[in-house]
Amino acid sequence: MHSMSQPARILLYTCAAFVGLFPAAAAIAQEQAKTDSNNTPNLKVLSAGQWQQIDTAVDRGLEFIARNQQRDGSFTAPQSGQPGISSLCIMAFLSRGHVPGMGPYGDQLERAIEFVLSTQHASGVLSVDPRGGGSGGRPNYNHAIAGLMLGEVYGMTTGDLSNRIRQAIPRALEFSRMRQTRRKRNPDDHGGWRYVRAYGPNDSDLTATSWQLMFYRSAKNAEFDVPAKFIDDAMGYVRRCYIPQRGEFVYGLALDEEHYASGGTVGGGIVALSMGGEHQTEMAQAGGRWILKHPFTHYNRRRQSDDRYHYSAYYCSQAMFQLGGKYWEQFYPDLQKVLLTNQQRDGSWDREAVHDGQFGNVYTTALTVLALTPPYQLLPIYQR
């Protein structure tokens, strides 16, 4: 991952807006022309007509999300999922080349960003409910996803909005580091994050840690001060979550019901390694082989009881694009076929069938858009 100055990022996204949001087929052809190395995703895995179908599905999904914006700028979700879900929605628009203040969704994106900024508390946490309340202690997730979004959008904003983001991100980083360095009962949990309230035997888990690590990397790419130790500590925890005998990343390290692998943990583990520059390690490739053995063939159904279909599809798609080569070639064509087949008439995708159904289908639609758009390479955090 490389950093890009704010003026350069503004220019890039301004050009994207005026070019017409980069039709996927054109972006695919441009990317494929750069290199044909073994580790580069083969972006010719689909025909031009199939890429056009993906463009259409993504645009319909974004139209659905846009119709579900509330007066306060947020996108429809329960309070326990805010501002994380609104931030995922913003990133879904960014992944298609839409930018704040410009184009058909420019005003809506600015209002949504302002909503996210309004949720920051004196402690630096970005959460509607900073204490967790009845939400299962999810503020850490909301905070990390919102921080990630602000890091991504910072280089696309100017004026007062940019100034407010510049003030918010350092405060958010302080909160993340404070939570990261809290005393852990198990030394192996050092460097990771968990819920804001004690829950179970683990004081860190891989999914919360992956989001926080992406926030660190996004902020660093946007040229905020993120000491290497912050990232190194998190990477140490991610590596410890890898079980070499099974070739998978697990949710938590305590040997209990949370010591399991899912699409979210394995995909999240690969993405986390990529954030630390470890794109092609044996750990990452073993995770890629695990994903190929656990495909997304049956829509909204997963074999693992603790798996979330859309959440896992998001993480695994990003992970397999990072791995490239055979991993991408064998994964993406089947995934996009299932996702496009199951898009609803209104442009949405179903809410999660087993877990997290309470977050609704704006949430799953944002995740699905993000699962379909890695080849567009417009969201800086996921660029190879």
Side-chain angles (χ1 to χ4, degrees), residues 114-183:
E114 288 170 356
F115 164 75
V116 173
L117 290 169
S118 75
T119 69
Q120 189 167 43
H121 296 261
S123 65
V125 65
L126 292 153
S127 179
V128 169
D129 181 10
R131 297 184 179 181
S135 65
R138 290 190 181 91
N140 269 356
Y141 282 86
N142 285 311
H143 173 81
I145 297 170
L148 165 61
M149 181 279 294
L150 292 176
E152 295 300 279
V153 82
Y154 173 63
M156 309 171 201
T157 57
T158 59
D160 179 64
L161 188 58
S162 178
N163 290 334
R164 291 168 61 193
I165 296 172
R166 186 173 64 249
Q167 295 170 16
I169 288 178
R171 295 170 57 205
L173 287 169
E174 290 179 7
F175 179 83
S176 287
R177 184 57 176 172
M178 179 272 290
R179 297 297 307 188
Q180 184 182 20
T181 55
R182 285 173 67 93
R183 181 179 174 276

Side-chain angles (χ1 to χ4, degrees), residues 239-283:
R239 295 188 201 100
R240 288 192 293 276
C241 286
Y242 175 71
I243 310 301
Q245 302 90 333
R246 291 153 48 182
E248 61 190 26
F249 293 85
V250 295
Y251 176 74
L253 292 174
L255 295 175
D256 68 341
E257 67 272 11
E258 294 185 346
H259 194 75
Y260 67 86
S262 69
T265 64
V266 177
I270 297 169
V271 171
L273 291 177
S274 297
M275 296 300 103
E278 300 179 15
H279 297 83
Q280 296 295 329
T281 62
E282 172 54 28
M283 286 185 191

Side-chain angles (χ1 to χ4, degrees), residues 26 70 85 105 119 134 144 198 205 321 355:
Q70 307 302 300
I85 291 174
Y105 300 116
T119 69
D205 70 63
F321 190 85
H355 295 282

